[in-house]
Amino acid sequence: QVQLVESGGGLVQPGGSLRLSCAASGSRFSINAMAWARQAPGKERELVAAITSGGSTNYADSVKGRFTISRDNTKNTLSLQMSSLKPEDTAEYYCAAANYKRNGDKTRSGFYDYWGQGTQVTVSS
């Protein structure tokens, strides 16, 4: 039983930066991998970045070099630092967490067991 709450979304101009945060509560010690995913209107949900309990990361090609995922196990938070934002980054962004799994691909949305409510990011001039 894990609850995830995102914050930090908003409107930003192209080229700007934004930092998203996700606070985990409940049985958070069950969490292994965590991730950020996004979904734009008319498109499938896309996993943007993932991070293991040990700090290993994966990024979608579309955001590599621009976004940085991090986690603070002391504060029980997950962050996504976004820079050089593009209009194509406009989407609802979701925090996700997964229990330990013996197999599976943490770069896929279906891997995750818990999801936040989402926070809107709009990149527009």
Side-chain angles (χ1 to χ4, degrees), residues 21-60:
S21 296
C22 171
S25 62
S27 301
R28 58 189 177 274
F29 287 106
S30 69
I31 294 173
N32 192 268
M34 298 189 74
W36 289 96
R38 66 187 182 187
Q39 187 167 25
K43 295 185 178 180
E44 297 291 326
R45 185 170 295 189
E46 171 191 30
L47 194 129
V48 172
I51 186 167
T52 68
S53 60
S56 179
T57 59
N58 292 93
Y59 296 94

PDB file of all heavy atoms in Angstrom, residues 21-60:
ATOM      1  N   SER A  21       8.381  16.890  -8.355  1.00  0.00           N
ATOM      2  CA  SER A  21       8.656  16.108  -7.156  1.00  0.00           C
ATOM      3  C   SER A  21       7.534  15.119  -6.923  1.00  0.00           C
ATOM      4  O   SER A  21       6.385  15.354  -7.300  1.00  0.00           O
ATOM      5  CB  SER A  21       8.808  17.021  -5.934  1.00  0.00           C
ATOM      6  OG  SER A  21       9.926  17.869  -6.068  1.00  0.00           O
ATOM      7  N   CYS A  22       7.874  14.031  -6.281  1.00  0.00           N
ATOM      8  CA  CYS A  22       6.915  13.001  -5.937  1.00  0.00           C
ATOM      9  C   CYS A  22       7.191  12.561  -4.515  1.00  0.00           C
ATOM     10  O   CYS A  22       8.310  12.151  -4.194  1.00  0.00           O
ATOM     11  CB  CYS A  22       7.035  11.819  -6.901  1.00  0.00           C
ATOM     12  SG  CYS A  22       6.078  10.360  -6.436  1.00  0.00           S
ATOM     13  N   ALA A  23       6.179  12.648  -3.679  1.00  0.00           N
ATOM     14  CA  ALA A  23       6.302  12.222  -2.297  1.00  0.00           C
ATOM     15  C   ALA A  23       5.630  10.870  -2.120  1.00  0.00           C
ATOM     16  O   ALA A  23       4.479  10.683  -2.518  1.00  0.00           O
ATOM     17  CB  ALA A  23       5.671  13.250  -1.366  1.00  0.00           C
ATOM     18  N   ALA A  24       6.346   9.950  -1.531  1.00  0.00           N
ATOM     19  CA  ALA A  24       5.831   8.614  -1.295  1.00  0.00           C
ATOM     20  C   ALA A  24       5.444   8.446   0.166  1.00  0.00           C
ATOM     21  O   ALA A  24       6.153   8.894   1.069  1.00  0.00           O
ATOM     22  CB  ALA A  24       6.867   7.567  -1.679  1.00  0.00           C
ATOM     23  N   SER A  25       4.324   7.803   0.392  1.00  0.00           N
ATOM     24  CA  SER A  25       3.872   7.526   1.744  1.00  0.00           C
ATOM     25  C   SER A  25       3.254   6.139   1.790  1.00  0.00           C
ATOM     26  O   SER A  25       3.093   5.482   0.769  1.00  0.00           O
ATOM     27  CB  SER A  25       2.870   8.580   2.222  1.00  0.00           C
ATOM     28  OG  SER A  25       1.712   8.589   1.407  1.00  0.00           O
ATOM     29  N   GLY A  26       2.906   5.712   2.984  1.00  0.00           N
ATOM     30  CA  GLY A  26       2.380   4.377   3.154  1.00  0.00           C
ATOM     31  C   GLY A  26       3.513   3.392   3.349  1.00  0.00           C
ATOM     32  O   GLY A  26       4.505   3.700   4.004  1.00  0.00           O
ATOM     33  N   SER A  27       3.361   2.232   2.767  1.00  0.00           N
ATOM     34  CA  SER A  27       4.371   1.182   2.899  1.00  0.00           C
ATOM     35  C   SER A  27       5.505   1.398   1.910  1.00  0.00           C
ATOM     36  O   SER A  27       5.790   0.556   1.056  1.00  0.00           O
ATOM     37  CB  SER A  27       3.723  -0.188   2.699  1.00  0.00           C
ATOM     38  OG  SER A  27       2.694  -0.410   3.641  1.00  0.00           O
ATOM     39  N   ARG A  28       6.147   2.529   2.039  1.00  0.00           N
ATOM     40  CA  ARG A  28       7.138   2.922   1.040  1.00  0.00           C
ATOM     41  C   ARG A  28       8.381   2.058   1.052  1.00  0.00           C
ATOM     42  O   ARG A  28       9.138   2.066   0.082  1.00  0.00           O
ATOM     43  CB  ARG A  28       7.498   4.398   1.206  1.00  0.00           C
ATOM     44  CG  ARG A  28       8.038   4.767   2.578  1.00  0.00           C
ATOM     45  CD  ARG A  28       8.155   6.277   2.697  1.00  0.00           C
ATOM     46  NE  ARG A  28       8.601   6.677   4.024  1.00  0.00           N
ATOM     47  CZ  ARG A  28       7.800   6.871   5.065  1.00  0.00           C
ATOM     48  NH1 ARG A  28       6.490   6.682   4.926  1.00  0.00           N
ATOM     49  NH2 ARG A  28       8.302   7.236   6.242  1.00  0.00           N
ATOM     50  N   PHE A  29       8.605   1.335   2.125  1.00  0.00           N
ATOM     51  CA  PHE A  29       9.772   0.470   2.151  1.00  0.00           C
ATOM     52  C   PHE A  29       9.629  -0.720   1.219  1.00  0.00           C
ATOM     53  O   PHE A  29      10.598  -1.432   0.974  1.00  0.00           O
ATOM     54  CB  PHE A  29      10.067  -0.001   3.574  1.00  0.00           C
ATOM     55  CG  PHE A  29      10.641   1.060   4.447  1.00  0.00           C
ATOM     56  CD1 PHE A  29       9.880   1.671   5.427  1.00  0.00           C
ATOM     57  CD2 PHE A  29      11.956   1.469   4.277  1.00  0.00           C
ATOM     58  CE1 PHE A  29      10.409   2.661   6.233  1.00  0.00           C
ATOM     59  CE2 PHE A  29      12.512   2.460   5.081  1.00  0.00           C
ATOM     60  CZ  PHE A  29      11.729   3.057   6.057  1.00  0.00           C
ATOM     61  N   SER A  30       8.442  -0.929   0.694  1.00  0.00           N
ATOM     62  CA  SER A  30       8.244  -1.977  -0.292  1.00  0.00           C
ATOM     63  C   SER A  30       8.689  -1.552  -1.682  1.00  0.00           C
ATOM     64  O   SER A  30       8.802  -2.384  -2.577  1.00  0.00           O
ATOM     65  CB  SER A  30       6.774  -2.405  -0.342  1.00  0.00           C
ATOM     66  OG  SER A  30       5.963  -1.379  -0.878  1.00  0.00           O
ATOM     67  N   ILE A  31       8.938  -0.270  -1.860  1.00  0.00           N
ATOM     68  CA  ILE A  31       9.296   0.264  -3.168  1.00  0.00           C
ATOM     69  C   ILE A  31      10.698  -0.156  -3.576  1.00  0.00           C
ATOM     70  O   ILE A  31      11.643  -0.083  -2.800  1.00  0.00           O
ATOM     71  CB  ILE A  31       9.182   1.797  -3.170  1.00  0.00           C
ATOM     72  CG1 ILE A  31       7.723   2.220  -3.003  1.00  0.00           C
ATOM     73  CG2 ILE A  31       9.778   2.382  -4.440  1.00  0.00           C
ATOM     74  CD1 ILE A  31       7.542   3.713  -2.822  1.00  0.00           C
ATOM     75  N   ASN A  32      10.816  -0.578  -4.814  1.00  0.00           N
ATOM     76  CA  ASN A  32      12.110  -0.853  -5.404  1.00  0.00           C
ATOM     77  C   ASN A  32      12.397   0.210  -6.459  1.00  0.00           C
ATOM     78  O   ASN A  32      12.869   1.296  -6.136  1.00  0.00           O
ATOM     79  CB  ASN A  32      12.144  -2.269  -5.972  1.00  0.00           C
ATOM     80  CG  ASN A  32      13.538  -2.712  -6.333  1.00  0.00           C
ATOM     81  OD1 ASN A  32      13.978  -2.536  -7.466  1.00  0.00           O
ATOM     82  ND2 ASN A  32      14.244  -3.287  -5.382  1.00  0.00           N
ATOM     83  N   ALA A  33      12.070  -0.058  -7.701  1.00  0.00           N
ATOM     84  CA  ALA A  33      12.289   0.931  -8.752  1.00  0.00           C
ATOM     85  C   ALA A  33      11.215   2.019  -8.711  1.00  0.00           C
ATOM     86  O   ALA A  33      10.084   1.786  -8.281  1.00  0.00           O
ATOM     87  CB  ALA A  33      12.304   0.257 -10.111  1.00  0.00           C
ATOM     88  N   MET A  34      11.581   3.203  -9.162  1.00  0.00           N
ATOM     89  CA  MET A  34      10.639   4.294  -9.320  1.00  0.00           C
ATOM     90  C   MET A  34      10.853   4.918 -10.688  1.00  0.00           C
ATOM     91  O   MET A  34      11.902   4.728 -11.311  1.00  0.00           O
ATOM     92  CB  MET A  34      10.810   5.340  -8.222  1.00  0.00           C
ATOM     93  CG  MET A  34      10.541   4.809  -6.826  1.00  0.00           C
ATOM     94  SD  MET A  34      10.505   6.109  -5.560  1.00  0.00           S
ATOM     95  CE  MET A  34       8.911   6.876  -5.913  1.00  0.00           C
ATOM     96  N   ALA A  35       9.856   5.657 -11.141  1.00  0.00           N
ATOM     97  CA  ALA A  35       9.939   6.189 -12.488  1.00  0.00           C
ATOM     98  C   ALA A  35       9.027   7.392 -12.662  1.00  0.00           C
ATOM     99  O   ALA A  35       8.131   7.650 -11.852  1.00  0.00           O
ATOM    100  CB  ALA A  35       9.568   5.116 -13.510  1.00  0.00           C
ATOM    101  N   TRP A  36       9.281   8.106 -13.733  1.00  0.00           N
ATOM    102  CA  TRP A  36       8.384   9.137 -14.232  1.00  0.00           C
ATOM    103  C   TRP A  36       7.905   8.723 -15.610  1.00  0.00           C
ATOM    104  O   TRP A  36       8.695   8.262 -16.436  1.00  0.00           O
ATOM    105  CB  TRP A  36       9.076  10.492 -14.338  1.00  0.00           C
ATOM    106  CG  TRP A  36       9.373  11.135 -13.024  1.00  0.00           C
ATOM    107  CD1 TRP A  36      10.535  11.095 -12.326  1.00  0.00           C
ATOM    108  CD2 TRP A  36       8.464  11.935 -12.255  1.00  0.00           C
ATOM    109  NE1 TRP A  36      10.421  11.819 -11.167  1.00  0.00           N
ATOM    110  CE2 TRP A  36       9.160  12.348 -11.096  1.00  0.00           C
ATOM    111  CE3 TRP A  36       7.140  12.344 -12.440  1.00  0.00           C
ATOM    112  CZ2 TRP A  36       8.569  13.145 -10.119  1.00  0.00           C
ATOM    113  CZ3 TRP A  36       6.551  13.137 -11.462  1.00  0.00           C
ATOM    114  CH2 TRP A  36       7.263  13.529 -10.320  1.00  0.00           C
ATOM    115  N   ALA A  37       6.631   8.891 -15.839  1.00  0.00           N
ATOM    116  CA  ALA A  37       6.047   8.644 -17.144  1.00  0.00           C
ATOM    117  C   ALA A  37       5.206   9.847 -17.529  1.00  0.00           C
ATOM    118  O   ALA A  37       4.863  10.664 -16.678  1.00  0.00           O
ATOM    119  CB  ALA A  37       5.205   7.376 -17.130  1.00  0.00           C
ATOM    120  N   ARG A  38       4.878   9.958 -18.797  1.00  0.00           N
ATOM    121  CA  ARG A  38       4.050  11.061 -19.243  1.00  0.00           C
ATOM    122  C   ARG A  38       3.084  10.593 -20.308  1.00  0.00           C
ATOM    123  O   ARG A  38       3.317   9.610 -20.999  1.00  0.00           O
ATOM    124  CB  ARG A  38       4.912  12.214 -19.777  1.00  0.00           C
ATOM    125  CG  ARG A  38       5.680  11.887 -21.045  1.00  0.00           C
ATOM    126  CD  ARG A  38       6.620  13.023 -21.397  1.00  0.00           C
ATOM    127  NE  ARG A  38       7.333  12.776 -22.637  1.00  0.00           N
ATOM    128  CZ  ARG A  38       8.306  13.544 -23.111  1.00  0.00           C
ATOM    129  NH1 ARG A  38       8.697  14.614 -22.426  1.00  0.00           N
ATOM    130  NH2 ARG A  38       8.903  13.238 -24.256  1.00  0.00           N
ATOM    131  N   GLN A  39       1.998  11.329 -20.430  1.00  0.00           N
ATOM    132  CA  GLN A  39       1.012  11.025 -21.438  1.00  0.00           C
ATOM    133  C   GLN A  39       0.451  12.316 -21.997  1.00  0.00           C
ATOM    134  O   GLN A  39      -0.087  13.139 -21.259  1.00  0.00           O
ATOM    135  CB  GLN A  39      -0.115  10.158 -20.872  1.00  0.00           C
ATOM    136  CG  GLN A  39      -1.088   9.678 -21.923  1.00  0.00           C
ATOM    137  CD  GLN A  39      -1.999   8.588 -21.408  1.00  0.00           C
ATOM    138  OE1 GLN A  39      -2.246   8.490 -20.204  1.00  0.00           O
ATOM    139  NE2 GLN A  39      -2.496   7.766 -22.308  1.00  0.00           N
ATOM    140  N   ALA A  40       0.596  12.472 -23.287  1.00  0.00           N
ATOM    141  CA  ALA A  40       0.032  13.610 -23.992  1.00  0.00           C
ATOM    142  C   ALA A  40      -1.288  13.197 -24.620  1.00  0.00           C
ATOM    143  O   ALA A  40      -1.511  12.013 -24.888  1.00  0.00           O
ATOM    144  CB  ALA A  40       1.006  14.100 -25.060  1.00  0.00           C
ATOM    145  N   PRO A  41      -2.178  14.149 -24.869  1.00  0.00           N
ATOM    146  CA  PRO A  41      -3.462  13.819 -25.487  1.00  0.00           C
ATOM    147  C   PRO A  41      -3.291  13.054 -26.790  1.00  0.00           C
ATOM    148  O   PRO A  41      -2.504  13.446 -27.650  1.00  0.00           O
ATOM    149  CB  PRO A  41      -4.095  15.189 -25.728  1.00  0.00           C
ATOM    150  CG  PRO A  41      -3.497  16.058 -24.675  1.00  0.00           C
ATOM    151  CD  PRO A  41      -2.074  15.579 -24.556  1.00  0.00           C
ATOM    152  N   GLY A  42      -4.013  11.960 -26.919  1.00  0.00           N
ATOM    153  CA  GLY A  42      -3.965  11.167 -28.126  1.00  0.00           C
ATOM    154  C   GLY A  42      -2.764  10.260 -28.253  1.00  0.00           C
ATOM    155  O   GLY A  42      -2.600   9.600 -29.288  1.00  0.00           O
ATOM    156  N   LYS A  43      -1.931  10.209 -27.231  1.00  0.00           N
ATOM    157  CA  LYS A  43      -0.743   9.386 -27.288  1.00  0.00           C
ATOM    158  C   LYS A  43      -0.715   8.382 -26.146  1.00  0.00           C
ATOM    159  O   LYS A  43      -1.390   8.551 -25.133  1.00  0.00           O
ATOM    160  CB  LYS A  43       0.517  10.254 -27.239  1.00  0.00           C
ATOM    161  CG  LYS A  43       0.686  11.174 -28.435  1.00  0.00           C
ATOM    162  CD  LYS A  43       2.013  11.901 -28.381  1.00  0.00           C
ATOM    163  CE  LYS A  43       2.204  12.780 -29.607  1.00  0.00           C
ATOM    164  NZ  LYS A  43       3.503  13.505 -29.566  1.00  0.00           N
ATOM    165  N   GLU A  44       0.070   7.341 -26.330  1.00  0.00           N
ATOM    166  CA  GLU A  44       0.238   6.339 -25.292  1.00  0.00           C
ATOM    167  C   GLU A  44       1.102   6.887 -24.169  1.00  0.00           C
ATOM    168  O   GLU A  44       1.922   7.782 -24.368  1.00  0.00           O
ATOM    169  CB  GLU A  44       0.879   5.077 -25.872  1.00  0.00           C
ATOM    170  CG  GLU A  44       0.058   4.374 -26.935  1.00  0.00           C
ATOM    171  CD  GLU A  44      -1.189   3.748 -26.371  1.00  0.00           C
ATOM    172  OE1 GLU A  44      -1.166   3.282 -25.216  1.00  0.00           O
ATOM    173  OE2 GLU A  44      -2.203   3.723 -27.090  1.00  0.00           O
ATOM    174  N   ARG A  45       0.903   6.329 -22.992  1.00  0.00           N
ATOM    175  CA  ARG A  45       1.747   6.709 -21.877  1.00  0.00           C
ATOM    176  C   ARG A  45       3.181   6.250 -22.154  1.00  0.00           C
ATOM    177  O   ARG A  45       3.425   5.115 -22.548  1.00  0.00           O
ATOM    178  CB  ARG A  45       1.231   6.109 -20.572  1.00  0.00           C
ATOM    179  CG  ARG A  45       2.010   6.583 -19.351  1.00  0.00           C
ATOM    180  CD  ARG A  45       1.326   6.179 -18.055  1.00  0.00           C
ATOM    181  NE  ARG A  45       0.032   6.840 -17.907  1.00  0.00           N
ATOM    182  CZ  ARG A  45      -0.696   6.805 -16.799  1.00  0.00           C
ATOM    183  NH1 ARG A  45      -0.261   6.144 -15.739  1.00  0.00           N
ATOM    184  NH2 ARG A  45      -1.868   7.421 -16.760  1.00  0.00           N
ATOM    185  N   GLU A  46       4.107   7.143 -21.931  1.00  0.00           N
ATOM    186  CA  GLU A  46       5.507   6.921 -22.242  1.00  0.00           C
ATOM    187  C   GLU A  46       6.332   7.000 -20.972  1.00  0.00           C
ATOM    188  O   GLU A  46       6.246   7.975 -20.232  1.00  0.00           O
ATOM    189  CB  GLU A  46       5.989   7.977 -23.245  1.00  0.00           C
ATOM    190  CG  GLU A  46       7.487   7.998 -23.484  1.00  0.00           C
ATOM    191  CD  GLU A  46       7.946   9.215 -24.262  1.00  0.00           C
ATOM    192  OE1 GLU A  46       7.296  10.282 -24.152  1.00  0.00           O
ATOM    193  OE2 GLU A  46       8.952   9.104 -24.998  1.00  0.00           O
ATOM    194  N   LEU A  47       7.134   5.991 -20.735  1.00  0.00           N
ATOM    195  CA  LEU A  47       8.041   6.054 -19.602  1.00  0.00           C
ATOM    196  C   LEU A  47       9.207   6.969 -19.957  1.00  0.00           C
ATOM    197  O   LEU A  47       9.874   6.778 -20.972  1.00  0.00           O
ATOM    198  CB  LEU A  47       8.542   4.672 -19.198  1.00  0.00           C
ATOM    199  CG  LEU A  47       9.214   4.684 -17.825  1.00  0.00           C
ATOM    200  CD1 LEU A  47       8.636   3.603 -16.941  1.00  0.00           C
ATOM    201  CD2 LEU A  47      10.713   4.537 -17.952  1.00  0.00           C
ATOM    202  N   VAL A  48       9.421   7.960 -19.131  1.00  0.00           N
ATOM    203  CA  VAL A  48      10.415   8.986 -19.392  1.00  0.00           C
ATOM    204  C   VAL A  48      11.751   8.659 -18.744  1.00  0.00           C
ATOM    205  O   VAL A  48      12.808   8.796 -19.363  1.00  0.00           O
ATOM    206  CB  VAL A  48       9.905  10.356 -18.898  1.00  0.00           C
ATOM    207  CG1 VAL A  48      11.000  11.410 -18.988  1.00  0.00           C
ATOM    208  CG2 VAL A  48       8.686  10.777 -19.710  1.00  0.00           C
ATOM    209  N   ALA A  49      11.704   8.263 -17.501  1.00  0.00           N
ATOM    210  CA  ALA A  49      12.925   7.993 -16.755  1.00  0.00           C
ATOM    211  C   ALA A  49      12.636   7.024 -15.632  1.00  0.00           C
ATOM    212  O   ALA A  49      11.552   7.044 -15.048  1.00  0.00           O
ATOM    213  CB  ALA A  49      13.512   9.292 -16.188  1.00  0.00           C
ATOM    214  N   ALA A  50      13.588   6.179 -15.337  1.00  0.00           N
ATOM    215  CA  ALA A  50      13.446   5.204 -14.265  1.00  0.00           C
ATOM    216  C   ALA A  50      14.712   5.172 -13.428  1.00  0.00           C
ATOM    217  O   ALA A  50      15.808   5.467 -13.919  1.00  0.00           O
ATOM    218  CB  ALA A  50      13.155   3.817 -14.833  1.00  0.00           C
ATOM    219  N   ILE A  51      14.543   4.793 -12.179  1.00  0.00           N
ATOM    220  CA  ILE A  51      15.686   4.709 -11.273  1.00  0.00           C
ATOM    221  C   ILE A  51      15.478   3.549 -10.324  1.00  0.00           C
ATOM    222  O   ILE A  51      14.396   3.345  -9.790  1.00  0.00           O
ATOM    223  CB  ILE A  51      15.887   6.049 -10.522  1.00  0.00           C
ATOM    224  CG1 ILE A  51      17.159   6.015  -9.676  1.00  0.00           C
ATOM    225  CG2 ILE A  51      14.652   6.395  -9.693  1.00  0.00           C
ATOM    226  CD1 ILE A  51      17.575   7.389  -9.168  1.00  0.00           C
ATOM    227  N   THR A  52      16.512   2.769 -10.114  1.00  0.00           N
ATOM    228  CA  THR A  52      16.442   1.641  -9.203  1.00  0.00           C
ATOM    229  C   THR A  52      16.691   2.105  -7.778  1.00  0.00           C
ATOM    230  O   THR A  52      17.066   3.245  -7.523  1.00  0.00           O
ATOM    231  CB  THR A  52      17.464   0.567  -9.571  1.00  0.00           C
ATOM    232  OG1 THR A  52      18.788   1.078  -9.335  1.00  0.00           O
ATOM    233  CG2 THR A  52      17.337   0.158 -11.034  1.00  0.00           C
ATOM    234  N   SER A  53      16.492   1.190  -6.856  1.00  0.00           N
ATOM    235  CA  SER A  53      16.755   1.511  -5.459  1.00  0.00           C
ATOM    236  C   SER A  53      18.216   1.860  -5.227  1.00  0.00           C
ATOM    237  O   SER A  53      18.544   2.601  -4.300  1.00  0.00           O
ATOM    238  CB  SER A  53      16.343   0.344  -4.560  1.00  0.00           C
ATOM    239  OG  SER A  53      17.067  -0.829  -4.881  1.00  0.00           O
ATOM    240  N   GLY A  54      19.088   1.336  -6.083  1.00  0.00           N
ATOM    241  CA  GLY A  54      20.505   1.618  -5.967  1.00  0.00           C
ATOM    242  C   GLY A  54      20.972   2.836  -6.732  1.00  0.00           C
ATOM    243  O   GLY A  54      22.150   3.189  -6.666  1.00  0.00           O
ATOM    244  N   GLY A  55      20.060   3.474  -7.484  1.00  0.00           N
ATOM    245  CA  GLY A  55      20.404   4.696  -8.178  1.00  0.00           C
ATOM    246  C   GLY A  55      20.736   4.555  -9.650  1.00  0.00           C
ATOM    247  O   GLY A  55      21.086   5.545 -10.295  1.00  0.00           O
ATOM    248  N   SER A  56      20.632   3.360 -10.190  1.00  0.00           N
ATOM    249  CA  SER A  56      20.856   3.172 -11.619  1.00  0.00           C
ATOM    250  C   SER A  56      19.687   3.776 -12.396  1.00  0.00           C
ATOM    251  O   SER A  56      18.528   3.587 -12.028  1.00  0.00           O
ATOM    252  CB  SER A  56      20.998   1.695 -11.939  1.00  0.00           C
ATOM    253  OG  SER A  56      21.195   1.487 -13.317  1.00  0.00           O
ATOM    254  N   THR A  57      19.974   4.485 -13.484  1.00  0.00           N
ATOM    255  CA  THR A  57      18.937   5.213 -14.216  1.00  0.00           C
ATOM    256  C   THR A  57      18.820   4.789 -15.665  1.00  0.00           C
ATOM    257  O   THR A  57      19.763   4.275 -16.269  1.00  0.00           O
ATOM    258  CB  THR A  57      19.198   6.724 -14.172  1.00  0.00           C
ATOM    259  OG1 THR A  57      20.478   7.004 -14.760  1.00  0.00           O
ATOM    260  CG2 THR A  57      19.193   7.235 -12.741  1.00  0.00           C
ATOM    261  N   ASN A  58      17.633   5.024 -16.213  1.00  0.00           N
ATOM    262  CA  ASN A  58      17.351   4.839 -17.625  1.00  0.00           C
ATOM    263  C   ASN A  58      16.505   6.005 -18.090  1.00  0.00           C
ATOM    264  O   ASN A  58      15.642   6.480 -17.358  1.00  0.00           O
ATOM    265  CB  ASN A  58      16.597   3.538 -17.889  1.00  0.00           C
ATOM    266  CG  ASN A  58      17.425   2.309 -17.612  1.00  0.00           C
ATOM    267  OD1 ASN A  58      17.379   1.763 -16.512  1.00  0.00           O
ATOM    268  ND2 ASN A  58      18.181   1.873 -18.614  1.00  0.00           N
ATOM    269  N   TYR A  59      16.737   6.445 -19.309  1.00  0.00           N
ATOM    270  CA  TYR A  59      15.998   7.561 -19.873  1.00  0.00           C
ATOM    271  C   TYR A  59      15.504   7.228 -21.262  1.00  0.00           C
ATOM    272  O   TYR A  59      16.176   6.539 -22.031  1.00  0.00           O
ATOM    273  CB  TYR A  59      16.874   8.811 -19.967  1.00  0.00           C
ATOM    274  CG  TYR A  59      17.322   9.349 -18.638  1.00  0.00           C
ATOM    275  CD1 TYR A  59      18.550   8.979 -18.100  1.00  0.00           C
ATOM    276  CD2 TYR A  59      16.520  10.229 -17.923  1.00  0.00           C
ATOM    277  CE1 TYR A  59      18.957   9.472 -16.878  1.00  0.00           C
ATOM    278  CE2 TYR A  59      16.929  10.724 -16.701  1.00  0.00           C
ATOM    279  CZ  TYR A  59      18.152  10.341 -16.183  1.00  0.00           C
ATOM    280  OH  TYR A  59      18.548  10.839 -14.968  1.00  0.00           O
ATOM    281  N   ALA A  60      14.343   7.746 -21.584  1.00  0.00           N
ATOM    282  CA  ALA A  60      13.876   7.676 -22.953  1.00  0.00           C
ATOM    283  C   ALA A  60      14.783   8.531 -23.821  1.00  0.00           C
ATOM    284  O   ALA A  60      15.295   9.565 -23.380  1.00  0.00           O
ATOM    285  CB  ALA A  60      12.437   8.168 -23.047  1.00  0.00           C
TER     286      ALA A  60
END
